[in-house]
Amino acid sequence: MIENKLYDAMLRLADPTQAEGLSRFFRCGPGQYGEGDRFLGIKVPATRKVVKELWSECREADLDSCLASPWHEVRLAALLVVVQKFHHARKNTAEQQHWVEYYLAHTAAINNWDLVDLTCYEIVGTWLLDKDAGLLREMAQHGASLWEQRIAMVSTMQFLRHGRLDETYEIADILLHHSHDLIQKAVGWLLREAGKRDGQRLRRWLASRYAGMPRTMLRYAIEKFPPDERQRYLKGLI
């Protein structure tokens, strides 16, 4: 059997005393959004340390095996390696495109919010900075899972970090009436981040939408508003 250093290193860090708590935190019980996922009990900083040490040695076959793993943290490690390979290929457009396509071809392995949020804007968002955001619109509208739709929303974080707000509002409009709270939270979170950069634009956007928004989304979007203003929004008095 061919050695897979990344997989083996993650297995060595397993801590069963932490695994049950992580399973509860990520809602892996019957009927919950993470149903069936399994945890080794490894915290993110430890995973990042392994990735920092081993990313350059990881072959694509190693990543394939890790992304097919039943272990949540092993899949996270593989995705973080893809992030590293993408960024270290910044002078090679073809190689960067390869890793973007690889990431998007393995969204079935990206099946919880942390796997999305720790990786997508680093890869998809960065790749699209100098391109049309049609890929995000397509994923938001027709994503095969709520995780692909969350990737579309959270990837706009990279646009925000570069002072571009249009993409965040565009994807938020597509997902405005989504029924799942994990999408509602993501949309609200990114709207809040957009509001930190231009509070008046967020208020203008909310003016014609806030009354029909899911409550969770609205609460996240206005979290940084003054308390009395938040209450006016929540009571429909704006």
Side-chain angles (χ1 to χ4, degrees), residues 72-135:
H72 183 101
E73 297 95 333
V74 172
R75 297 197 305 280
L76 174 59
L79 294 168
L80 291 173
V81 167
V82 176
V83 170
Q84 289 297 316
K85 288 185 178 293
F86 171 81
H87 281 291
H88 281 81
R90 58 184 173 273
K91 295 182 179 180
N92 186 329
T93 301
E95 187 177 352
Q96 281 202 319
Q97 182 174 352
H98 168 76
W99 288 116
V100 172
E101 292 173 351
Y102 182 88
Y103 181 87
L104 293 173
H106 289 83
T107 54
I110 307 172
N111 61 350
N112 216 310
W113 59 263
D114 62 318
L115 304 181
V116 172
D117 297 357
L118 291 172
T119 61
C120 69
Y121 70 89
E122 295 275 16
I123 298 177
V124 181
T126 301
W127 175 249
L128 293 176
L129 279 174
D130 61 351
K131 302 172 183 67
D132 179 75
L135 172 62

Side-chain angles (χ1 to χ4, degrees), residues 11-59:
L11 291 180
R12 286 195 295 271
L13 291 177
D15 182 354
T17 66
Q18 298 293 323
E20 185 177 350
L22 288 171
S23 182
R24 287 196 302 271
F25 182 74
F26 287 104
R27 306 290 180 85
C28 297
Q32 296 179 314
Y33 58 75
E35 181 177 1
D37 208 353
R38 298 171 63 190
F39 286 81
L40 291 167
I42 306 169
K43 298 295 180 64
V44 173
T47 300
R48 287 192 182 279
K49 183 178 180 182
V50 170
V51 169
K52 183 178 180 180
E53 293 171 352
L54 296 178
W55 74 266
S56 62
E57 301 179 48
C58 290
R59 302 156 300 183

Side-chain angles (χ1 to χ4, degrees), residues 135-172:
L135 172 62
L136 301 186
R137 293 191 292 272
E138 177 66 20
M139 293 180 74
Q141 291 174 325
H142 306 297
S145 67
L146 70 91
W147 306 116
E148 288 193 0
Q149 292 177 308
R150 188 168 172 118
I151 286 171
M153 190 71 244
V154 178
S155 290
T156 70
M157 176 65 80
Q158 195 66 281
F159 293 98
L160 294 179
R161 290 183 173 185
H162 285 76
R164 291 169 49 181
L165 280 61
D166 291 353
E167 291 83 2
T168 293
Y169 287 109
E170 185 175 3
I171 304 305

